[in-house]
Amino acid sequence: MPASDPARTPPPFHAVIFVSQRTPGDNGYGDESARMVAMVREQPGFIGMESVRGADGKGITVAFFDSEDAIREWGRVAEHRQAQASGRANWYENYQLYYSRVERVRSWEKRSE
Amino acid sequence: MPASDPARTPPPFHAVIFVSQRTPGDNGYGDESARMVAMVREQPGFIGMESVRGADGKGITVAFFDSEDAIREWGRVAEHRQAQASGRANWYENYQLYYSRVERVRSWEKRSE
């Protein structure tokens, strides 16, 4: 299932906001993170995601899904659970998760003159 | 009104997810952005915020508020409206806003051994 553009998806839908602080060093994070992104894109109900990490290792990822069921199912995927455990053991100092319902979307783009 | 910790705030509350792509150069962004952060912290109903910008100029800011009214009031503040206009004129290539209701929060922190 190809991901679509969350900013063009009519609400309501769901957003999982993941705020995290990485530990220093890679420790296999890059490869595993890429594998999880590829997997979640195939997850039924996945809409799209936005992700940014700063130079200080703080990151925010927002993953958009069309239902709470889709979020629950993704939470049950064995490889994902394994990655979460590795995250706590190796990759994160701390993280916060905000499970949210998107009620309104606005987007803006500079027009080329 | 001092900001509190969104991860320790009992849901439901509200999150405004702001995903943006900066234009190259500062053009007064740093000063104005700091001024807006200081102002929103004084806004009644503001809970806290998380913000990250990557080396490529892409950023995600999540601002948490205790009600939709608080978000609306912040949207009416004259200095904020002026900053938004400057944002479109000078600082952003594009942005997306997701107005969301936080329904569940989880947080984790590595214990010091």
Side-chain angles (χ1 to χ4, degrees):
Chain A
M1 179 173 295
S4 47
D5 182 354
R8 290 168 189 272
T9 301
F13 52 93
H14 295 266
V16 182
I17 305 167
F18 179 65
V19 181
S20 64
Q21 179 63 52
R22 286 271 285 111
T23 49
D26 185 68
N27 305 313
Y29 170 80
D31 285 352
E32 185 62 12
S33 167
R35 201 167 75 104
M36 284 305 110
V37 170
M39 279 194 74
V40 75
R41 287 189 183 281
E42 301 300 317
Q43 186 69 23
F46 177 76
I47 295 172
M49 68 193 294
E50 299 282 6
S51 195
V52 174
R53 191 163 304 276
D56 60 354
K58 182 170 179 173
I60 302 178
T61 295
V62 187
F64 299 97
F65 294 88
D66 68 6
S67 69
E68 294 191 40
D69 272 357
I71 296 170
R72 247 190 308 271
E73 286 305 315
W74 172 236
R76 286 192 189 118
V77 170
E79 290 90 334
H80 181 208
R81 297 184 74 95
Q82 221 162 12
Q84 290 176 321
S86 298
R88 286 186 290 267
N90 303 314
W91 302 323
Y92 299 117
E93 293 291 351
N94 61 69
Y95 61 70
Q96 299 84 47
L97 280 156
Y98 301 91
Y99 295 88
S100 311
R101 183 183 151 93
V102 177
E103 293 171 333
R104 202 151 51 88
V105 176
R106 252 181 59 200
S107 72
W108 174 86
E109 187 160 5
K110 197 188 277 294
R111 300 201 201 162
S112 33
E113 347 254 309
Chain B
M1 180 172 297
S4 46
D5 183 352
R8 289 169 189 272
T9 302
F13 53 91
H14 295 265
V16 181
I17 305 166
F18 179 64
V19 181
S20 65
Q21 180 62 52
R22 286 271 286 111
T23 50
D26 185 68
N27 304 312
Y29 170 81
D31 285 352
E32 184 61 12
S33 166
R35 201 167 75 104
M36 284 304 112
V37 170
M39 278 193 76
V40 76
R41 287 189 182 280
E42 299 301 316
Q43 186 70 23
F46 177 77
I47 295 172
M49 67 192 296
E50 298 282 4
S51 194
V52 173
R53 192 164 302 278
D56 62 354
K58 182 170 178 171
I60 302 179
T61 294
V62 187
F64 299 96
F65 294 88
D66 69 6
S67 69
E68 294 191 39
D69 272 359
I71 296 170
R72 247 190 308 273
E73 286 306 316
W74 172 235
R76 285 191 188 119
V77 170
E79 291 90 334
H80 181 208
R81 299 184 73 93
Q82 221 163 10
Q84 289 176 321
S86 298
R88 286 186 290 267
N90 303 314
W91 302 323
Y92 298 117
E93 293 291 352
N94 62 68
Y95 61 71
Q96 299 84 49
L97 279 155
Y98 300 91
Y99 295 89
S100 312
R101 183 182 151 93
V102 176
E103 292 170 336
R104 203 152 50 88
V105 177
R106 252 182 60 201
S107 72
W108 175 87
E109 188 161 4
K110 196 188 280 291
R111 301 204 199 156
S112 34
E113 348 254 309

Short mmCIF file of all heavy atoms in Angstrom, two decimals, chain A residues 11-52:
data_model
loop_
_atom_site.label_atom_id
_atom_site.label_comp_id
_atom_site.label_asym_id
_atom_site.label_seq_id
_atom_site.Cartn_x
_atom_site.Cartn_y
_atom_site.Cartn_z
N PRO A 11 -9.60 14.98 7.17
CA PRO A 11 -9.74 14.54 8.56
C PRO A 11 -11.18 14.05 8.79
O PRO A 11 -12.06 14.38 7.99
CB PRO A 11 -9.44 15.78 9.38
CG PRO A 11 -9.30 16.91 8.42
CD PRO A 11 -9.42 16.41 7.04
N PRO A 12 -11.43 13.30 9.88
CA PRO A 12 -10.46 12.95 10.91
C PRO A 12 -9.60 11.75 10.52
O PRO A 12 -10.02 10.88 9.78
CB PRO A 12 -11.34 12.59 12.11
CG PRO A 12 -12.60 12.04 11.50
CD PRO A 12 -12.78 12.82 10.21
N PHE A 13 -8.35 11.78 11.03
CA PHE A 13 -7.48 10.60 10.99
C PHE A 13 -6.60 10.67 12.23
O PHE A 13 -6.88 11.48 13.13
CB PHE A 13 -6.71 10.50 9.65
CG PHE A 13 -5.94 11.73 9.24
CD1 PHE A 13 -4.61 11.88 9.59
CD2 PHE A 13 -6.54 12.71 8.47
CE1 PHE A 13 -3.90 13.00 9.19
CE2 PHE A 13 -5.84 13.85 8.07
CZ PHE A 13 -4.51 13.98 8.42
N HIS A 14 -5.58 9.82 12.32
CA HIS A 14 -4.84 9.72 13.57
C HIS A 14 -3.36 10.02 13.37
O HIS A 14 -2.80 9.74 12.32
CB HIS A 14 -5.04 8.34 14.18
CG HIS A 14 -6.47 8.12 14.58
ND1 HIS A 14 -6.94 8.36 15.83
CD2 HIS A 14 -7.55 7.76 13.83
CE1 HIS A 14 -8.23 8.13 15.86
NE2 HIS A 14 -8.64 7.76 14.67
N ALA A 15 -2.76 10.62 14.40
CA ALA A 15 -1.34 10.95 14.36
C ALA A 15 -0.68 10.41 15.63
O ALA A 15 -1.17 10.65 16.73
CB ALA A 15 -1.16 12.47 14.29
N VAL A 16 0.40 9.67 15.45
CA VAL A 16 1.22 9.27 16.59
C VAL A 16 2.46 10.17 16.57
O VAL A 16 3.25 10.12 15.63
CB VAL A 16 1.63 7.79 16.50
CG1 VAL A 16 2.45 7.40 17.73
CG2 VAL A 16 0.40 6.89 16.37
N ILE A 17 2.56 11.02 17.59
CA ILE A 17 3.68 11.95 17.70
C ILE A 17 4.72 11.31 18.60
O ILE A 17 4.45 10.99 19.76
CB ILE A 17 3.22 13.29 18.31
CG1 ILE A 17 2.05 13.88 17.52
CG2 ILE A 17 4.40 14.28 18.39
CD1 ILE A 17 1.34 15.04 18.25
N PHE A 18 5.91 11.08 18.05
CA PHE A 18 7.00 10.40 18.78
C PHE A 18 8.15 11.39 18.94
O PHE A 18 8.79 11.78 17.97
CB PHE A 18 7.43 9.17 17.98
CG PHE A 18 8.55 8.37 18.59
CD1 PHE A 18 8.38 7.72 19.80
CD2 PHE A 18 9.77 8.24 17.93
CE1 PHE A 18 9.41 6.96 20.36
CE2 PHE A 18 10.81 7.49 18.48
CZ PHE A 18 10.63 6.84 19.70
N VAL A 19 8.37 11.83 20.18
CA VAL A 19 9.45 12.77 20.50
C VAL A 19 10.54 11.96 21.19
O VAL A 19 10.25 11.26 22.17
CB VAL A 19 8.96 13.89 21.43
CG1 VAL A 19 10.09 14.88 21.74
CG2 VAL A 19 7.75 14.60 20.84
N SER A 20 11.77 12.03 20.71
CA SER A 20 12.80 11.16 21.29
C SER A 20 14.15 11.84 21.37
O SER A 20 14.46 12.77 20.60
CB SER A 20 12.93 9.88 20.46
OG SER A 20 13.39 10.18 19.16
N GLN A 21 14.95 11.36 22.29
CA GLN A 21 16.34 11.81 22.42
C GLN A 21 17.23 10.59 22.18
O GLN A 21 17.14 9.62 22.94
CB GLN A 21 16.57 12.40 23.81
CG GLN A 21 17.98 12.89 24.05
CD GLN A 21 18.38 14.03 23.12
OE1 GLN A 21 17.68 15.01 23.00
NE2 GLN A 21 19.51 13.87 22.42
N ARG A 22 18.04 10.64 21.14
CA ARG A 22 18.93 9.53 20.81
C ARG A 22 20.13 9.48 21.76
O ARG A 22 20.59 10.52 22.23
CB ARG A 22 19.44 9.67 19.37
CG ARG A 22 18.42 9.34 18.32
CD ARG A 22 18.43 7.86 17.97
NE ARG A 22 19.58 7.53 17.13
CZ ARG A 22 20.61 6.80 17.53
NH1 ARG A 22 20.69 6.32 18.74
NH2 ARG A 22 21.59 6.54 16.69
N THR A 23 20.62 8.27 21.97
CA THR A 23 21.92 8.09 22.62
C THR A 23 23.01 8.45 21.60
O THR A 23 22.75 8.47 20.40
CB THR A 23 22.09 6.62 23.04
OG1 THR A 23 21.77 5.80 21.90
CG2 THR A 23 21.17 6.25 24.19
N PRO A 24 24.24 8.72 22.05
CA PRO A 24 25.31 8.99 21.08
C PRO A 24 25.67 7.73 20.28
O PRO A 24 25.51 6.62 20.80
CB PRO A 24 26.50 9.42 21.96
CG PRO A 24 25.94 9.69 23.32
CD PRO A 24 24.72 8.84 23.45
N GLY A 25 26.15 7.90 19.05
CA GLY A 25 26.58 6.76 18.23
C GLY A 25 25.41 6.14 17.49
O GLY A 25 24.24 6.37 17.84
N ASP A 26 25.70 5.35 16.46
CA ASP A 26 24.62 4.76 15.66
C ASP A 26 24.11 3.46 16.25
O ASP A 26 22.90 3.26 16.39
CB ASP A 26 25.09 4.53 14.21
CG ASP A 26 23.95 4.04 13.34
OD1 ASP A 26 23.02 4.83 13.09
OD2 ASP A 26 23.94 2.85 12.95
N ASN A 27 25.02 2.53 16.59
CA ASN A 27 24.63 1.25 17.21
C ASN A 27 23.54 0.49 16.44
O ASN A 27 22.66 -0.11 17.06
CB ASN A 27 24.15 1.49 18.65
CG ASN A 27 25.18 2.22 19.50
OD1 ASN A 27 26.35 1.85 19.48
ND2 ASN A 27 24.77 3.26 20.21
N GLY A 28 23.58 0.57 15.10
CA GLY A 28 22.61 -0.17 14.30
C GLY A 28 21.29 0.54 14.09
O GLY A 28 20.38 0.02 13.44
N TYR A 29 21.20 1.77 14.62
CA TYR A 29 19.94 2.51 14.53
C TYR A 29 19.55 2.83 13.09
O TYR A 29 18.38 2.67 12.70
CB TYR A 29 20.05 3.80 15.34
CG TYR A 29 18.90 4.75 15.12
CD1 TYR A 29 17.69 4.56 15.77
CD2 TYR A 29 19.02 5.84 14.25
CE1 TYR A 29 16.62 5.43 15.57
CE2 TYR A 29 17.97 6.72 14.05
CZ TYR A 29 16.78 6.51 14.71
OH TYR A 29 15.74 7.37 14.50
N GLY A 30 20.50 3.30 12.29
CA GLY A 30 20.21 3.74 10.92
C GLY A 30 19.56 2.65 10.08
O GLY A 30 18.51 2.87 9.47
N ASP A 31 20.14 1.46 10.09
CA ASP A 31 19.62 0.34 9.30
C ASP A 31 18.23 -0.08 9.79
O ASP A 31 17.32 -0.30 8.99
CB ASP A 31 20.55 -0.88 9.43
CG ASP A 31 21.82 -0.69 8.61
OD1 ASP A 31 21.90 0.29 7.84
OD2 ASP A 31 22.74 -1.53 8.74
N GLU A 32 18.11 -0.20 11.11
CA GLU A 32 16.85 -0.69 11.66
C GLU A 32 15.74 0.33 11.45
O GLU A 32 14.59 -0.03 11.15
CB GLU A 32 17.02 -1.01 13.15
CG GLU A 32 15.83 -1.63 13.80
CD GLU A 32 15.43 -2.99 13.22
OE1 GLU A 32 16.23 -3.57 12.44
OE2 GLU A 32 14.32 -3.44 13.53
N SER A 33 16.09 1.59 11.58
CA SER A 33 15.12 2.66 11.38
C SER A 33 14.61 2.65 9.93
O SER A 33 13.40 2.76 9.68
CB SER A 33 15.79 3.98 11.74
OG SER A 33 15.05 5.07 11.30
N ALA A 34 15.52 2.46 8.97
CA ALA A 34 15.13 2.40 7.56
C ALA A 34 14.22 1.19 7.31
O ALA A 34 13.24 1.27 6.55
CB ALA A 34 16.36 2.33 6.67
N ARG A 35 14.52 0.07 7.99
CA ARG A 35 13.71 -1.14 7.84
C ARG A 35 12.30 -0.91 8.39
O ARG A 35 11.31 -1.33 7.79
CB ARG A 35 14.39 -2.30 8.59
CG ARG A 35 13.99 -3.67 8.13
CD ARG A 35 14.92 -4.73 8.70
NE ARG A 35 14.68 -5.00 10.09
CZ ARG A 35 14.03 -6.10 10.55
NH1 ARG A 35 13.59 -7.01 9.72
NH2 ARG A 35 13.87 -6.28 11.83
N MET A 36 12.20 -0.20 9.52
CA MET A 36 10.89 0.07 10.11
C MET A 36 10.07 1.02 9.23
O MET A 36 8.87 0.84 9.07
CB MET A 36 11.03 0.65 11.52
CG MET A 36 11.39 -0.36 12.59
SD MET A 36 10.24 -1.78 12.65
CE MET A 36 11.31 -3.09 12.04
N VAL A 37 10.73 2.02 8.65
CA VAL A 37 10.02 2.94 7.75
C VAL A 37 9.47 2.17 6.56
O VAL A 37 8.30 2.34 6.17
CB VAL A 37 10.94 4.10 7.29
CG1 VAL A 37 10.28 4.91 6.18
CG2 VAL A 37 11.29 5.00 8.47
N ALA A 38 10.28 1.27 5.98
CA ALA A 38 9.81 0.46 4.85
C ALA A 38 8.63 -0.42 5.26
O ALA A 38 7.66 -0.57 4.52
CB ALA A 38 10.96 -0.39 4.30
N MET A 39 8.70 -0.97 6.47
CA MET A 39 7.61 -1.85 6.94
C MET A 39 6.32 -1.09 7.21
O MET A 39 5.24 -1.54 6.85
CB MET A 39 8.03 -2.58 8.22
CG MET A 39 8.89 -3.80 7.96
SD MET A 39 9.02 -4.86 9.45
CE MET A 39 7.37 -5.61 9.44
N VAL A 40 6.43 0.06 7.87
CA VAL A 40 5.20 0.79 8.23
C VAL A 40 4.49 1.28 6.97
O VAL A 40 3.26 1.39 6.93
CB VAL A 40 5.47 1.93 9.24
CG1 VAL A 40 6.13 3.13 8.61
CG2 VAL A 40 4.17 2.34 9.95
N ARG A 41 5.26 1.56 5.92
CA ARG A 41 4.65 1.99 4.66
C ARG A 41 3.76 0.91 4.05
O ARG A 41 2.87 1.21 3.26
CB ARG A 41 5.73 2.39 3.64
CG ARG A 41 6.39 3.71 3.99
CD ARG A 41 7.29 4.23 2.89
NE ARG A 41 7.93 5.45 3.31
CZ ARG A 41 7.34 6.66 3.31
NH1 ARG A 41 6.11 6.80 2.85
NH2 ARG A 41 7.99 7.71 3.76
N GLU A 42 4.02 -0.32 4.39
CA GLU A 42 3.21 -1.45 3.89
C GLU A 42 2.05 -1.76 4.82
O GLU A 42 1.22 -2.61 4.51
CB GLU A 42 4.08 -2.70 3.73
CG GLU A 42 5.25 -2.54 2.78
CD GLU A 42 4.79 -2.19 1.37
OE1 GLU A 42 3.80 -2.79 0.90
OE2 GLU A 42 5.41 -1.28 0.76
N GLN A 43 2.02 -1.11 5.98
CA GLN A 43 1.00 -1.41 6.99
C GLN A 43 -0.37 -0.88 6.53
O GLN A 43 -0.48 0.29 6.18
CB GLN A 43 1.42 -0.73 8.31
CG GLN A 43 0.55 -1.05 9.50
CD GLN A 43 0.70 -2.49 9.97
OE1 GLN A 43 1.72 -3.13 9.72
NE2 GLN A 43 -0.32 -2.99 10.63
N PRO A 44 -1.40 -1.74 6.49
CA PRO A 44 -2.73 -1.24 6.10
C PRO A 44 -3.17 -0.10 7.02
O PRO A 44 -3.02 -0.22 8.24
CB PRO A 44 -3.63 -2.47 6.27
CG PRO A 44 -2.72 -3.65 6.20
CD PRO A 44 -1.41 -3.19 6.76
N GLY A 45 -3.67 0.97 6.43
CA GLY A 45 -4.14 2.10 7.21
C GLY A 45 -3.09 3.18 7.44
O GLY A 45 -3.40 4.25 7.96
N PHE A 46 -1.83 2.90 7.03
CA PHE A 46 -0.78 3.92 7.14
C PHE A 46 -1.01 4.99 6.08
O PHE A 46 -1.23 4.68 4.91
CB PHE A 46 0.59 3.28 6.94
CG PHE A 46 1.75 4.25 6.96
CD1 PHE A 46 2.20 4.77 8.16
CD2 PHE A 46 2.38 4.63 5.78
CE1 PHE A 46 3.27 5.68 8.19
CE2 PHE A 46 3.45 5.52 5.79
CZ PHE A 46 3.89 6.05 7.00
N ILE A 47 -0.96 6.26 6.48
CA ILE A 47 -1.18 7.36 5.54
C ILE A 47 0.13 7.99 5.11
O ILE A 47 0.34 8.27 3.93
CB ILE A 47 -2.11 8.45 6.17
CG1 ILE A 47 -3.51 7.87 6.42
CG2 ILE A 47 -2.19 9.66 5.27
CD1 ILE A 47 -4.45 8.78 7.20
N GLY A 48 1.03 8.23 6.05
CA GLY A 48 2.29 8.89 5.70
C GLY A 48 3.00 9.28 6.98
O GLY A 48 2.50 9.07 8.08
N MET A 49 4.21 9.82 6.85
CA MET A 49 4.92 10.24 8.05
C MET A 49 5.82 11.44 7.79
O MET A 49 6.19 11.71 6.64
CB MET A 49 5.73 9.10 8.66
CG MET A 49 6.90 8.62 7.86
SD MET A 49 7.53 7.02 8.50
CE MET A 49 8.14 7.55 10.10
N GLU A 50 6.15 12.16 8.85
CA GLU A 50 7.08 13.28 8.81
C GLU A 50 8.09 13.03 9.90
O GLU A 50 7.72 12.62 11.01
CB GLU A 50 6.36 14.60 9.08
CG GLU A 50 5.28 14.94 8.09
CD GLU A 50 5.83 15.50 6.78
OE1 GLU A 50 7.07 15.52 6.60
OE2 GLU A 50 5.01 15.93 5.95
N SER A 51 9.36 13.28 9.63
CA SER A 51 10.37 12.97 10.62
C SER A 51 11.55 13.94 10.50
O SER A 51 12.01 14.23 9.40
CB SER A 51 10.85 11.53 10.39
OG SER A 51 11.58 11.08 11.50
N VAL A 52 11.99 14.46 11.64
CA VAL A 52 13.13 15.38 11.68
C VAL A 52 13.97 15.04 12.89
O VAL A 52 13.43 14.75 13.96
CB VAL A 52 12.65 16.85 11.79
CG1 VAL A 52 13.84 17.78 11.99
CG2 VAL A 52 11.85 17.27 10.57
#
